[in-house]
Amino acid sequence: MASLRTSSFSFTQHCKYDVFLSFRGEDTRSVFISNLNGFLCDKGINTFMDEKLPIGEEIPAELLEAIESSRVSIVVFSKNYASSTWCLDELVKILKCKKKGQFVLPIFYEINPSVVRRQKRKFGKALVKHEQEFDMNKVQIWRVALEKAGKLRGRHYKKGYPQYQFIQEIFEDISPFVAYTFNIGKMKDDYSLLHELNGNKKNWKIKARVTRLWDVYNFKNEDFMSLDMVLLDEQGNHIHARIKDAFVHQFKESLQAGNIYYIKNFGVIPYQNDYKIVTNEHMINFCATTIVKRAGSDDLSIPEYKFEFVPFEHLSGRCDKNVHLTDVIGRVSTIFPVYEKDKNGKPLKRRIVEIEDKRKRKIQITLWGDLAESITEDVCMERSKSTILIITSTTVKSFINRLSLSSTSATKVYIDLDNQKNYIHWDFDEVVKNKRTIHEIIKFLEQSKSQKAIFYCMAVVKKVNAANGWHYISCTDCPKKAKTIRSTFWCESCKNEFSSPTIRYRLELHVKDESGSTIFVVFDKEAEKIVRIPATQVYTTEIKDEDDDEEDVVPKPIKNLLGKTYMFQIKINPKQLIKKKKINPKQNFTAIHVFEDHAYKQLHHEQKEKNQILPLKRGIDVDVEIEREVPKAKRNGKLTESEASANEEEDVDDKNEEKEKCRERRI
């Protein structure tokens, strides 16, 4: 092939098209040709198809010119190819161009090459019919062309062979002869955000991080069903994506949780399953022609994680419902040993973990299978350390008026994630009670003399003030600002001198709500929580382009805050008292906590659900009994209340086993 490419250089250097596709439309256009053309186009290969040319008996001059202007011709021989005089004329022209250096690749689509070479079956019948309608010399030219093409080295597609693999092999055959570039630049400039996806369009392109990745099995026969994932984009939108069994080995090696990818050509369908993994009305289905390309470098603007935490007091609204799976966060209070329970003749591991929220409310979570060993007793041994646990995609159950959670195939466990403590939820009732508009906060500050207060305000970020910078240099041991003394730094608070300071956020956010506008200043970890990237990392990786305006010194990850809505927790300090009687809309307020608005909306929705549901009666405080080989002791001939409860719970679990498996299979 190398020598052929050298000899064909003079032919191909001025070609208009990379590939000319010759095919019989009624046999292959809707499936094979469509997939082949889409795959080649995604690789940056310029193809020509006759789909827009007028139908007629004579082959148009435009078609002949396209053949002459192509580096490669792919001829797809199918059962009815010879019945088209257009196809036969194309073939004659293609073979003439082959003599001038054009590379020709025949594809024998579900037919044997000998059928083409010897004109058997439908090929023979078609040519006999042509002899009755056309000049014998012309038909003879077609016969010779078919015989020559049937002797060329090509590829034979047999029914049942994976089509995507066959198309990849075609691409490998022609790639030395085309000046293709799979330049991802176009995808960088032209991709959609996840909230824009819908089923009305087919050629979507997205850029997203794979935040979670898991296998889905059929719980009845344990057959592998799909590879599922959660994708997250630069604006914090996320969506559930699925790769069905037939396509998994095409993508599994190239996908890894945590990486960012450009993804093209996938299906977008309404979310049909129960137990939603994330809040999105749609989900993504990968197909044979889906293109996945890893981004060249990690994009700091795309968060590493996103969770939809449900406060413990709102779990009852999801009890025994099949709409959403539930994410929770809390400090580990108790961890029980792993034990095995026989399920359908096979041992199944189980561990119960108890976590508590900031109000000391507790919930028990049952981790099944391999998840049972994802957290160990060691995390609770060191009492000086609070272990924060995030557990995703659980189901909420109730037994004897006591709520508990259970893991699913989609569950992931995160232990002491970076800044994990920042995710712990605030109380909904407290937010509602102290929620104020910007105007009301300024009015309070104007009228108050010495009163301290904490308010919550939901506002949109309109601008990031760059005049005072977006960061400050601080002490390595505390968040206080450091002073520069020659080549070293000094912390007045710690009385400490050091050479390498810490970079911390100080963001002046111009915010606006329906009542007015003001400036909220967000520091350090709270700013990092919404930017989702450490300040030091932004400082060291954000290099200013020469073409940027001098005034534009705000890095891209921080610019991504613009237009987003947050709930700010504002602390009113007497030192901030406004001396003037007139309200100052430019007054600065320090935001001690910041939360994304979707979390507040979710809480508001679930609070309404909770109000519509009768509250659960306080159940007996029964510890979960771990199955033991030692028979349970009896008290006066009867089981104790806790032992009876444990036995009854196991009986219920066994009775509902099949029902639970069917539910999880849909996840």
Side-chain angles (χ1 to χ4, degrees):
M1 284 189 180
S3 61
L4 179 56
R5 186 176 187 182
T6 303
S7 65
S8 65
F9 177 76
S10 61
F11 176 81
T12 62
Q13 60 180 334
H14 300 300
C15 287
K16 183 178 179 181
Y17 303 104
D18 290 317
V19 175
F20 179 88
L21 295 173
S22 176
F23 60 94
R24 186 72 168 108
E26 66 181 61
D27 291 344
T28 59
R29 183 190 299 274
S30 62
V31 181
F32 178 72
I33 291 298
S34 177
N35 291 338
L36 174 61
N37 184 63
F39 183 91
L40 297 180
C41 289
D42 288 333
K43 292 293 187 181
I45 295 176
N46 187 18
T47 64
F48 182 90
M49 291 176 61
D50 63 358
E51 55 186 351
K52 295 183 180 180
L53 295 178
I55 298 176
E57 293 184 0
E58 295 294 331
I59 185 170
E62 182 182 348
L63 205 58
L64 298 177
E65 292 174 2
I67 295 173
E68 290 179 348
S69 303
S70 299
R71 294 180 173 87
V72 173
S73 283
I74 298 177
V75 185
V76 182
F77 291 111
S78 56
K79 59 183 180 180
N80 293 307
Y81 184 90
S83 63
S84 169
T85 57
W86 266 31
C87 289
L88 294 173
D89 285 338
E90 286 175 5
L91 180 61
V92 172
K93 183 67 176 179
I94 288 169
L95 292 178
K96 288 181 180 179
C97 292
K98 182 179 182 300
K99 293 180 180 179
K100 299 178 182 180
Q102 185 182 91
F103 177 64
V104 178
L105 178 66
I107 304 297
F108 303 98
Y109 187 83
E110 295 185 356
I111 62 170
N112 196 289
S114 63
V115 173
V116 178
R117 186 169 59 250
R118 300 175 185 174
Q119 293 105 58
K120 299 190 298 184
R121 299 177 185 172
K122 287 192 175 183
F123 274 67
K125 293 178 181 179
L127 290 168
V128 170
K129 184 177 180 180
H130 292 330
E131 288 175 346
Q132 298 173 1
E133 300 175 2
F134 298 94
D135 181 73
M136 290 293 293
N137 291 331
K138 187 169 187 174
V139 176
Q140 184 59 28
I141 292 173
W142 290 339
R143 287 185 179 275
V144 172
L146 288 169
E147 182 180 358
K148 289 182 178 180
K151 293 179 180 179
L152 293 177
R153 182 182 177 184
R155 289 203 172 269
H156 183 192
Y157 178 77
K158 297 180 180 180
K159 192 171 183 179
Y161 190 75
Q163 195 173 104
Y164 66 86
Q165 185 173 337
F166 187 76
I167 290 174
Q168 177 67 36
E169 292 168 357
I170 293 175
F171 167 71
E172 293 172 357
D173 288 340
I174 68 171
S175 58
F177 304 94
V178 295
Y180 83 95
T181 54
F182 184 26
N183 191 346
I184 202 168
K186 291 184 178 179
M187 294 184 70
K188 288 182 178 179
D189 299 330
D190 183 23
Y191 60 85
S192 300
L193 297 172
L194 296 181
H195 76 273
E196 298 173 331
L197 302 183
N198 58 66
N200 299 328
K201 182 179 173 182
K202 293 184 178 179
N203 56 336
W204 290 105
K205 293 180 285 186
I206 60 173
K207 178 184 180 182
R209 186 190 300 275
V210 177
T211 61
R212 290 180 243 167
L213 196 66
W214 68 94
D215 294 334
V216 178
Y217 291 89
N218 186 319
F219 278 86
K220 287 188 176 180
N221 52 26
E222 297 185 354
D223 288 345
F224 178 79
M225 294 177 63
S226 63
L227 176 65
D228 287 34
M229 70 197 80
V230 173
L231 301 176
L232 182 62
D233 70 11
E234 61 199 54
Q235 289 195 0
N237 306 307
H238 52 187
I239 194 169
H240 181 188
R242 171 166 294 160
I243 308 175
K244 293 184 178 179
D245 180 27
F247 309 125
V248 165
H249 65 282
Q250 181 182 353
F251 302 102
K252 191 163 188 176
E253 294 298 324
S254 59
L255 287 173
Q256 185 175 343
N259 291 339
I260 298 173
Y261 300 90
Y262 292 95
I263 307 174
K264 276 186 72 172
N265 296 345
F266 50 82
V268 179
I269 62 173
Y271 203 105
Q272 300 171 339
N273 293 7
D274 296 332
Y275 299 104
K276 279 188 177 180
I277 305 294
V278 297
T279 302
N280 197 311
E281 296 303 316
H282 296 89
M283 68 179 296
I284 288 175
N285 267 345
F286 283 52
C287 58
T289 56
T290 299
I291 302 294
V292 176
K293 181 73 174 179
R294 184 177 176 182
S297 59
D298 194 19
D299 190 335
L300 302 181
S301 66
I302 301 182
E304 291 188 45
Y305 307 99
K306 180 177 180 179
F307 307 104
E308 295 181 339
F309 296 124
V310 178
F312 291 3
E313 67 266 29
H314 298 145
L315 290 174
S316 59
R318 293 194 172 190
C319 183
D320 295 324
K321 292 187 177 181
N322 60 352
V323 179
H324 296 277
L325 291 178
T326 300
D327 301 346
V328 292
I329 182 171
R331 294 181 177 87
V332 177
S333 58
T334 307
I335 181 169
F336 293 87
V338 175
Y339 83 102
E340 293 185 350
K341 186 174 182 179
D342 186 76
K343 293 286 185 179
N344 298 330
K346 295 183 179 180
L348 181 63
K349 294 179 182 178
R350 181 172 89 162
R351 184 197 292 276
I352 295 173
V353 179
E354 186 176 69
I355 62 175
E356 64 180 20
D357 65 7
K358 63 181 182 179
R359 291 193 170 186
K360 304 300 181 182
R361 290 171 295 205
K362 298 181 180 181
I363 191 76
Q364 290 185 339
I365 307 164
T366 302
L367 301 176
W368 297 94
D370 293 338
L371 286 173
E373 295 182 338
S374 62
I375 179 172
T376 64
E377 291 90 339
D378 295 339
V379 300
C380 296
M381 296 300 292
E382 188 181 350
R383 293 300 178 183
S384 61
K385 178 184 176 182
S386 295
T387 300
I388 305 298
L389 206 62
I390 290 176
I391 303 180
T392 70
S393 306
T394 66
T395 56
V396 184
K397 302 178 179 180
S398 174
F399 181 75
I400 316 180
N401 290 334
R402 182 173 184 177
L403 294 176
S404 64
L405 305 178
S406 181
S407 69
T408 67
S409 60
T411 296
K412 296 292 180 181
V413 177
Y414 300 90
I415 304 172
D416 284 334
L417 207 60
D418 290 341
N419 303 316
Q420 202 157 338
K421 295 179 182 180
N422 293 330
Y423 288 106
I424 295 182
H425 269 272
W426 25 270
D427 185 79
F428 179 82
D429 296 330
E430 178 187 347
V431 175
V432 172
K433 179 180 178 182
N434 298 305
K435 190 171 181 288
R436 300 289 189 275
T437 65
I438 291 174
H439 176 77
E440 290 171 337
I441 293 175
I442 296 176
K443 195 70 175 177
F444 173 88
L445 188 59
E446 183 183 49
Q447 297 174 348
S448 175
K449 294 182 179 180
S450 60
Q451 184 180 358
K452 294 182 180 181
I454 292 180
F455 295 127
Y456 294 86
C457 180
M458 184 174 287
V460 180
V461 179
K462 306 300 291 186
K463 181 183 176 182
V464 179
N465 185 13
N468 298 320
W470 59 269
H471 67 278
Y472 68 98
I473 296 174
S474 80
C475 174
T476 55
D477 297 327
C478 76
K480 298 293 184 180
K481 188 175 181 179
K483 295 181 180 180
T484 304
I485 303 178
R486 297 187 180 88
S487 60
T488 62
F489 300 89
W490 173 260
C491 177
E492 188 65 31
S493 176
C494 299
K495 306 298 181 183
N496 181 32
E497 185 178 0
F498 46 91
S499 58
S500 299
T502 300
I503 304 297
R504 300 182 192 271
Y505 283 112
R506 183 188 182 277
L507 303 182
E508 292 186 14
L509 305 180
H510 290 249
V511 300
K512 184 178 181 181
D513 67 3
E514 68 277 5
S515 70
S517 62
T518 188
I519 298 175
F520 289 160
V521 183
V522 187
F523 289 91
D524 200 16
K525 293 299 182 182
E526 286 303 308
E528 182 177 318
K529 187 169 65 177
I530 57 176
V531 179
R532 300 178 185 272
I533 303 167
T536 303
Q537 189 176 349
V538 176
Y539 183 82
T540 56
T541 57
E542 281 287 332
I543 300 175
K544 186 175 175 62
D545 294 333
E546 293 181 359
D547 296 335
D548 286 347
D549 296 333
E550 288 299 322
E551 296 180 356
D552 188 9
V553 294
V554 180
K556 182 180 177 182
I558 301 176
K559 286 181 181 179
N560 288 333
L561 301 179
L562 300 181
K564 292 185 177 181
T565 302
Y566 296 96
M567 178 69 79
F568 297 89
Q569 187 183 39
I570 305 300
K571 184 177 182 180
I572 304 299
N573 192 301
K575 294 181 181 180
Q576 293 177 314
L577 287 176
I578 302 175
K579 296 181 180 180
K580 298 180 180 180
K581 294 182 179 180
K582 186 178 179 180
I583 296 175
N584 180 10
K586 295 184 179 180
Q587 174 68 43
N588 288 2
F589 296 92
T590 298
I592 57 177
H593 291 295
V594 186
F595 306 97
E596 295 185 12
D597 72 315
H598 75 81
Y600 173 78
K601 291 177 181 177
Q602 180 181 345
L603 282 177
H604 180 64
H605 173 73
E606 291 178 355
Q607 180 72 10
K608 290 173 64 178
E609 285 188 343
K610 180 182 178 182
N611 293 337
Q612 295 172 358
I613 299 172
L614 291 176
L616 292 173
K617 295 180 180 179
R618 182 177 296 275
I620 301 171
D621 190 12
V622 182
D623 290 335
V624 177
E625 293 290 323
I626 303 300
E627 188 176 51
R628 299 178 176 88
E629 294 181 3
V630 181
K632 295 181 175 61
K634 293 186 178 182
R635 311 296 191 272
N636 298 325
K638 296 182 179 180
L639 290 175
T640 64
E641 188 173 30
S642 61
E643 292 168 344
S645 298
N647 282 348
E648 186 177 350
E649 183 176 2
E650 288 186 6
D651 292 340
V652 171
D653 284 344
D654 291 336
K655 291 179 181 179
N656 293 332
E657 179 182 343
E658 287 302 319
K659 181 179 178 181
E660 185 64 28
K661 286 182 177 180
C662 291
R663 284 181 178 177
E664 292 199 9
R665 185 163 55 90
R666 284 180 273 175
I667 296 172

